[in-house]
Amino acid sequence: LKMARVVICRHGTSLWNLEKRWQGEKDIDLAPEGEEQAHKQAEQFTELGIHFNAVHSTDLKRGYRTAEILAATDGLAPVADARLRECSLGVWEGMHRNEIKGPQYAHIFERLNAMPHEERIHTAYFDGLETPFDMATRARAAAMDAIQTCGSGSCVLIITHSTIMEALLAVEHGHHFEGISMRNLAWFEWAIDANDSSQPPVLTRTDGITFSDCIGLK
């Protein structure tokens, strides 16, 4: 059986990334730096011999524009899918990273960081927001739908957001959620049985992602 491949990639640098403001569902434009990063990443995929049969993207602008640049190499247009958008971050949306990681909210991160893995992936930052398990479930479903459309032996590119990727790595592969950090345009690759969605994806490589048992640098 020839497995399908899914490359799951973070969007390029946005205007709020430059300001170190957390975005969540806020629809912020890709920065010129992000456009340049995406063009360089397209070249890297080509150098690695990675070509895509389809590109699916978050519907938020910073991701969709990244997807357009990466899809152009293979003559494709990205398909927008709201299941790939960033989660809501509640009151943190628009706030500076230093304020979020400062003394006012330190107790939240310390409590979550200390939780056993299974409890953490089923706990949200704030009541009413998605848990890592919720995010991973919707993003994995979007990836599986894309693969099943393309079939065995295909390679699909997914453009999404850091928190969604962190959720997938925590839920599907057991990594410590608080300890995952990644650059813009970081990516990982899955090998998936396109004919059996019950089989777990196999993590075959990562690029630009670091893992820690402590609170990461996000």
Side-chain angles (χ1 to χ4, degrees):
L1 173 67
K2 192 171 185 185
M3 303 285 275
R5 291 188 298 158
V6 180
V7 173
I8 301 180
C9 182
R10 186 186 179 194
H11 62 81
T13 296
S14 72
L15 295 174
W16 277 17
N17 286 151
L18 291 175
E19 298 175 8
K20 295 183 167 41
R21 294 166 71 187
W22 279 27
Q23 297 165 113
E25 291 184 313
K26 298 292 188 200
D27 201 4
I28 310 304
D29 283 316
L30 195 64
E33 291 90 334
E35 300 238 354
E36 183 178 342
Q37 291 163 350
H39 284 292
K40 288 181 178 176
Q41 186 60 58
E43 292 173 5
Q44 186 201 39
F45 284 142
T46 299
E47 290 166 2
L48 291 171
I50 300 175
H51 296 281
F52 302 107
N53 300 101
V55 178
H56 290 243
S57 171
T58 169
D59 57 344
L60 298 179
K61 291 182 290 189
R62 57 192 183 273
Y64 193 81
R65 179 61 189 139
T66 301
E68 285 182 323
I69 294 168
L70 292 171
T73 303
D74 293 305
L76 301 170
V79 177
D81 189 332
R83 292 176 294 178
L84 298 170
R85 66 161 47 195
E86 184 66 295
C87 61
S88 169
L89 293 171
V91 296
W92 287 341
E93 292 188 353
M95 288 177 59
H96 193 279
R97 178 196 179 282
N98 290 350
E99 186 175 359
I100 295 167
K101 291 297 183 82
Q104 182 178 357
Y105 299 107
H107 66 284
I108 294 177
F109 293 100
E110 290 165 3
R111 180 176 67 90
L112 294 172
N113 189 59
M115 283 182 179
H117 179 75
E118 281 300 313
E119 183 180 359
R120 173 63 188 101
I121 65 174
H122 288 94
T123 305
Y125 284 127
F126 299 106
D127 288 343
L129 299 186
E130 288 181 291
T131 68
F133 186 83
D134 295 332
M135 295 177 237
T137 299
R138 62 174 166 89
R140 185 180 190 273
M144 288 304 306
D145 287 350
I147 279 296
Q148 286 169 351
T149 298
C150 293
S152 296
S154 60
C155 185
V156 172
L157 174 63
I158 300 286
I159 301 296
T160 186
H161 304 264
S162 59
T163 315
I164 305 304
M165 292 172 65
E166 291 158 12
L168 287 167
L169 291 164
V171 172
E172 297 290 342
H173 306 290
H175 289 288
H176 180 57
F177 183 77
E178 255 64 52
I180 305 170
S181 301
M182 67 185 71
R183 61 168 169 78
N184 290 93
L185 269 300
W187 58 278
F188 62 85
E189 182 186 66
W190 275 349
I192 291 182
D193 182 348
N195 301 309
D196 187 357
S197 61
S198 68
Q199 294 298 312
V202 177
L203 184 65
T204 54
R205 57 179 151 178
T206 66
D207 188 289
I209 303 173
T210 58
F211 301 98
S212 169
D213 292 331
C214 305
I215 298 176
L217 300 175
K218 179 175 177 178

